[in-house]
Amino acid sequence: MKQSITINDVAKLAGVSRATAGRVVGNYGNVSEKSRLRVQAAIKELNYSPNTIAQSLRNNTTKTIAVILGNVKNNYCNALVYAVEKEAQKEGYSVIICNTRENIQREIMHIQNMRNRHVDGIILMSAFTTDEQIRDEEKELYESNYPMVFVDRKIHGLKRDVIMSNNVEASYEATSHLLKLGHKNIGIIATADYSTIRERIRGYEKALNEYGISMNEELIAETTALDPDEARMVTGKLLDEHPEITAIYILNNSLSAGVLLELKKRNLRVRDDISLLVWDDEMLNQLFDLTTVVQSIDNIGKVACNRLFELMQGKAEAREGYTERIPAQIVYRNSCKNINVIDN
Amino acid sequence: MKQSITINDVAKLAGVSRATAGRVVGNYGNVSEKSRLRVQAAIKELNYSPNTIAQSLRNNTTKTIAVILGNVKNNYCNALVYAVEKEAQKEGYSVIICNTRENIQREIMHIQNMRNRHVDGIILMSAFTTDEQIRDEEKELYESNYPMVFVDRKIHGLKRDVIMSNNVEASYEATSHLLKLGHKNIGIIATADYSTIRERIRGYEKALNEYGISMNEELIAETTALDPDEARMVTGKLLDEHPEITAIYILNNSLSAGVLLELKKRNLRVRDDISLLVWDDEMLNQLFDLTTVVQSIDNIGKVACNRLFELMQGKAEAREGYTERIPAQIVYRNSCKNINVIDN
DNA sequence: CTGAAAGCGCTAACAT
DNA sequence: ATGTTAGCGCTTTCAG
């Protein structure tokens, strides 16, 4: 890369000092009309634009935020990145993306790295599950006042800003829908042990209880990862062991494909043979007419980003530890059958 | 954000000069064992790590690359980002992501911005279509020797490194498959006018010609964007106007959902009523048993990234204008029917 | 209204 | 082996 043009070059060409040139570029202070024009001409002639690195060092702000998440190939994640980047762009911020692949050590490394790079803030979808502890040496990374907003998942015992869906309520509502239709044995397919999933299960349990049903842990089948193949296997096992199941409730995106494949293999028709209710809207859902809990990822990203901006500007310390719930919508399609006995 | 710890703090605590502390941190030059230990202790005590911004300014390298693309929500794009980030991470590089939303002005703005940020290199999936011209003022952005690798799409008349699938050959092979099965009227659904699509159509034409069929432009239905709804509409129109079509060949991902929806609406069964052949593997494809041209996006990302590293190190100028073709694989499933007349 | 000069944190050539 | 010092490009205080 050849040498870039600096403000010195501009100043020299315009016949003014570096300071005056800087005033024109940065548009502050007082500059005579004559100087301004000369500098502007020089800028144009040299095609100058400021070196952001130098500005960062000087101003102590990088105009950059980081999004640290499991895997951009996941649809929740890439929708989040899209929303954040769009919002950030409006304010002139760029977005660095880091995949943890759900590995905590990698997550820690990324946070460390982003701090060394002095990004102005971090949006984090943490890989910590509910039963894992943060080691003392790393606690500072999560607890310092470095601007950071959690998204989708919270870490147990950590007072931090979190933006996420109203999981309990939406899951309560979704489960109630199935219960109203007469389903009593509702199987669950989900990834193990993220706070998000725990909340959704809480909503499920609450709805069951209201119908006088106590939750049966055996109907909850967990996968270790967001992997369709594993989802498929787990679904098979669940159906084998619990033939009484009339509905399957899937708590993560990327899992429904596996479930559908298993149903296809067994020649079970969605709705007629088994009801399906699913979190997150994918291409599949419309095609299979799946009733779906749709998270407003766009909003989550936007709110997270703006909240982060507040933290960055020091406007928001009072709200530390705040959780913002973005409502998820249930889109009723046609995958849940009414199995109430018409008794008269 | 509170003041960070600098190398001066380390030096002071260790009782040595900044230079010596720097030698320990950067692991170069000669330092006595005693000093080394004192400095290392100070680093640990203060939890020091170097300010990457300052290093960047000094070393003229940011350890950052940018990926500029249409939209991370697109599966090709996010798989590319994933692959690039993984490869970059190995070498200690971070990845900035920029969505152009297929808008050329935004693309230009991003390139400009990434240059001002002095990223070490750019991977670009350009929004330029084959018939658009780069304006003279912006030509420099695309033609300078700033390290840049194109992915998936090339810009007409620009000698630049491009990494992409062997579109012509793979499309030729895919079309031949349909022809062998007896299909003569093969409709195409594709986004208009990207170089990639042009190439795939060239492969299609070549195969047709070998079978003594000349290409009928009317069977090629184009969408303006990667949008399932538009794909659906366009499919309907195509089927209405050309009932003679026995197979549909879809040249982009994100389009097949729309086609499938339209087929569903018309009660046309995949394979039995109409054959389908599709580019890019999505969740849908396995479920619908779609025969698919699978691009090796992982490889494309990896190769693009490594090629970029070569350019960054100045190792590769001789190969300027080189196009690397990554072979796509055809996964034969069961969506193409044999309609040859068995005549005996 | 303008310019000189200091300093952000780091590296490295040079001198000791 | 170690310290001094200059300088990366920019901003901004202070003097004039």
Side-chain angles (χ1 to χ4, degrees):
Chain A
M1 210 178 60
K2 61 183 156 212
Q3 213 41 49
S4 328
I5 288 138
T6 77
I7 199 155
N8 286 309
D9 302 318
V10 173
K12 206 178 295 171
L13 182 61
V16 297
S17 74
R18 175 160 81 253
T20 300
R23 283 186 258 259
V24 175
V25 174
N27 200 31
Y28 66 94
N30 290 323
V31 183
S32 71
E33 198 52 26
K34 202 171 59 178
S35 299
R36 161 162 286 111
L37 289 173
R38 292 167 63 91
V39 172
Q40 279 165 344
I43 289 171
K44 189 145 272 173
E45 184 171 338
L46 296 171
N47 192 22
Y48 166 79
S49 51
N51 179 335
T52 316
I53 302 297
Q55 289 179 318
S56 294
L57 185 60
R58 175 68 228 239
N59 298 340
N60 210 33
T61 161
T62 51
K63 287 292 206 172
T64 307
I65 63 178
V67 179
I68 304 177
L69 42 69
N71 186 336
V72 255
K73 287 200 275 187
N74 172 279
N75 283 348
Y76 181 97
C77 293
N78 58 53
L80 183 76
V81 170
Y82 181 83
V84 169
E85 197 260 357
K86 193 169 171 184
E87 198 65 17
Q89 208 179 107
K90 285 186 202 160
E91 307 288 327
Y93 282 76
S94 293
V95 176
I96 295 183
I97 183 172
C98 311
N99 294 297
T100 66
R101 285 171 259 160
E102 305 296 359
N103 175 312
I104 292 177
Q105 279 319 304
R106 199 172 286 118
E107 171 171 316
I108 286 165
M109 182 203 75
H110 279 308
I111 298 176
Q112 191 65 264
N113 181 225
M114 289 306 111
R115 284 224 210 170
N116 296 158
R117 283 171 178 271
H118 290 242
V119 300
D120 296 332
I122 296 174
I123 291 179
L124 175 61
M125 179 171 162
S126 177
F128 271 99
T129 58
T130 43
D131 54 0
E132 280 159 334
Q133 284 298 318
I134 303 179
R135 296 215 313 261
D136 278 350
E137 310 97 273
E138 280 118 18
K139 216 153 204 166
E140 195 274 337
L141 288 178
Y142 292 88
E143 289 188 325
S144 77
N145 58 357
Y146 201 100
M148 176 148 72
V149 170
F150 282 66
V151 156
D152 188 55
R153 302 168 183 173
K154 53 173 68 175
I155 298 185
H156 186 68
L158 209 64
K159 273 221 172 260
R160 269 307 197 162
D161 284 32
V162 189
I163 320 292
M164 63 202 306
S165 295
N166 60 341
N167 292 302
V168 179
E169 293 75 10
S171 187
Y172 168 81
E173 200 185 325
T175 310
S176 299
H177 176 62
L178 286 171
L179 288 163
K180 270 179 225 150
L181 295 175
H183 297 275
K184 295 192 173 2
N185 296 292
I186 304 170
I188 280 189
I189 310 284
T191 52
D193 235 16
Y194 290 103
S195 70
T196 315
I197 296 305
R198 287 290 136 216
E199 291 186 352
R200 291 176 194 169
I201 290 178
R202 236 188 299 140
Y204 163 83
E205 181 169 24
K206 188 175 156 225
L208 288 179
N209 291 348
E210 280 192 7
Y211 270 69
I213 302 170
S214 61
M215 187 168 84
N216 179 359
E217 295 273 359
E218 283 200 6
L219 298 188
I220 301 177
E222 296 183 332
T223 66
T224 54
L226 282 171
D227 169 29
D229 291 328
E230 201 190 345
R232 180 176 181 169
M233 226 187 53
V234 156
T235 305
K237 192 154 165 280
L238 184 69
L239 290 174
D240 284 340
E241 292 173 359
H242 294 280
E244 74 274 21
I245 284 174
T246 58
I248 295 181
Y249 178 33
I250 304 170
L251 304 194
N252 297 94
N253 68 348
S254 312
L255 255 37
S256 34
V259 175
L260 287 167
L261 273 169
E262 185 63 23
L263 296 185
K264 190 181 174 194
K265 192 189 110 195
R266 292 169 180 243
N267 266 316
L268 293 173
R269 288 161 303 169
V270 172
R271 200 198 114 95
D272 289 335
D273 298 322
I274 190 150
S275 291
L276 238 45
L277 203 157
V278 171
W279 275 75
D280 298 313
D281 218 8
E282 313 256 334
M283 291 279 187
L284 292 169
N285 300 26
Q286 207 187 334
L287 267 159
F288 283 89
D289 244 353
L290 302 182
T291 291
T292 306
V293 185
V294 179
Q295 300 189 68
S296 183
I297 308 180
D298 225 70
N299 258 320
I300 292 176
K302 199 167 165 175
V303 170
C305 200
N306 286 316
R307 174 71 180 146
L308 188 62
F309 286 151
E310 283 177 38
L311 288 173
M312 279 157 38
Q313 294 155 6
K315 280 189 195 163
E317 295 220 60
R319 275 164 70 208
E320 273 286 342
Y322 176 77
T323 300
E324 178 134 356
R325 296 290 180 171
I326 310 294
Q329 300 292 326
I330 302 192
V331 174
Y332 294 95
R333 295 202 182 97
N334 197 22
S335 59
C336 302
K337 189 181 178 184
N338 189 333
I339 59 169
N340 285 303
V341 184
I342 314 293
D343 185 5
N344 53 359
Chain B
M1 209 179 60
K2 62 184 159 216
Q3 214 37 51
S4 325
I5 288 136
T6 77
I7 199 155
N8 286 309
D9 302 317
V10 173
K12 205 177 296 170
L13 180 62
V16 297
S17 74
R18 176 160 82 253
T20 300
R23 282 186 259 259
V24 175
V25 174
N27 199 30
Y28 66 95
N30 288 324
V31 184
S32 72
E33 198 53 24
K34 201 170 58 179
S35 299
R36 161 164 285 110
L37 289 174
R38 292 168 61 91
V39 172
Q40 279 165 344
I43 289 171
K44 188 146 274 172
E45 185 171 338
L46 296 172
N47 193 22
Y48 166 81
S49 51
N51 180 334
T52 316
I53 303 296
Q55 288 179 319
S56 293
L57 185 61
R58 174 67 228 232
N59 298 339
N60 210 33
T61 160
T62 51
K63 287 289 204 175
T64 307
I65 63 177
V67 179
I68 303 177
L69 41 68
N71 185 336
V72 255
K73 288 202 273 188
N74 172 279
N75 283 348
Y76 181 97
C77 292
N78 59 52
L80 183 76
V81 170
Y82 181 83
V84 169
E85 198 259 359
K86 193 168 171 185
E87 199 66 17
Q89 205 179 110
K90 284 187 202 160
E91 308 289 327
Y93 282 77
S94 293
V95 176
I96 293 182
I97 184 173
C98 310
N99 294 296
T100 65
R101 286 171 257 160
E102 305 297 359
N103 175 314
I104 292 177
Q105 279 319 304
R106 199 173 285 118
E107 170 171 317
I108 286 165
M109 184 204 74
H110 279 309
I111 298 176
Q112 191 66 263
N113 181 225
M114 290 306 112
R115 283 221 208 174
N116 295 159
R117 284 172 177 270
H118 289 244
V119 300
D120 296 332
I122 295 173
I123 291 178
L124 174 62
M125 180 170 160
S126 177
F128 270 100
T129 58
T130 44
D131 53 1
E132 280 158 333
Q133 283 298 318
I134 303 179
R135 295 217 312 264
D136 277 350
E137 310 97 274
E138 281 116 18
K139 215 151 204 166
E140 194 273 340
L141 288 177
Y142 293 87
E143 288 187 325
S144 77
N145 58 357
Y146 202 101
M148 175 147 74
V149 171
F150 282 66
V151 157
D152 188 56
R153 302 167 183 173
K154 54 172 71 177
I155 297 184
H156 186 70
L158 210 63
K159 273 224 172 263
R160 271 302 198 168
D161 284 32
V162 188
I163 319 292
M164 63 202 306
S165 295
N166 60 342
N167 292 302
V168 179
E169 293 76 8
S171 186
Y172 167 81
E173 200 184 326
T175 310
S176 299
H177 175 62
L178 286 170
L179 289 163
K180 269 180 227 150
L181 295 174
H183 297 275
K184 296 192 172 3
N185 297 292
I186 304 170
I188 281 189
I189 309 285
T191 53
D193 235 16
Y194 291 102
S195 68
T196 315
I197 297 304
R198 287 289 136 216
E199 291 186 354
R200 291 176 194 169
I201 291 177
R202 234 186 303 139
Y204 163 84
E205 180 168 26
K206 188 174 157 224
L208 289 179
N209 291 348
E210 281 193 7
Y211 270 69
I213 302 170
S214 59
M215 187 168 84
N216 179 359
E217 295 274 357
E218 284 199 6
L219 297 187
I220 302 178
E222 296 183 334
T223 66
T224 54
L226 283 172
D227 168 29
D229 291 327
E230 201 191 346
R232 180 175 182 171
M233 226 188 51
V234 156
T235 306
K237 190 153 167 279
L238 184 68
L239 290 174
D240 284 340
E241 293 174 358
H242 293 282
E244 74 273 21
I245 285 176
T246 58
I248 295 181
Y249 178 33
I250 304 170
L251 304 194
N252 296 95
N253 68 347
S254 313
L255 256 36
S256 33
V259 175
L260 287 167
L261 273 169
E262 184 63 23
L263 296 185
K264 191 181 173 193
K265 192 189 110 195
R266 293 171 179 241
N267 268 315
L268 292 172
R269 290 161 303 171
V270 173
R271 199 198 114 95
D272 289 335
D273 298 323
I274 190 148
S275 292
L276 238 46
L277 202 156
V278 171
W279 275 76
D280 298 313
D281 217 7
E282 314 256 335
M283 291 279 187
L284 292 169
N285 301 24
Q286 207 187 334
L287 267 158
F288 283 89
D289 246 352
L290 302 182
T291 292
T292 306
V293 185
V294 179
Q295 300 189 67
S296 184
I297 307 179
D298 224 71
N299 257 321
I300 292 175
K302 198 168 165 175
V303 169
C305 199
N306 286 315
R307 174 70 180 147
L308 188 62
F309 286 152
E310 282 178 36
L311 288 173
M312 280 156 40
Q313 294 155 7
K315 280 187 192 164
E317 294 219 61
R319 276 164 68 208
E320 273 288 342
Y322 175 77
T323 301
E324 179 134 355
R325 296 290 179 170
I326 310 294
Q329 300 292 326
I330 302 190
V331 174
Y332 294 94
R333 294 202 182 99
N334 197 22
S335 59
C336 302
K337 188 179 178 187
N338 189 332
I339 59 169
N340 286 304
V341 184
I342 314 292
D343 184 6
N344 52 359

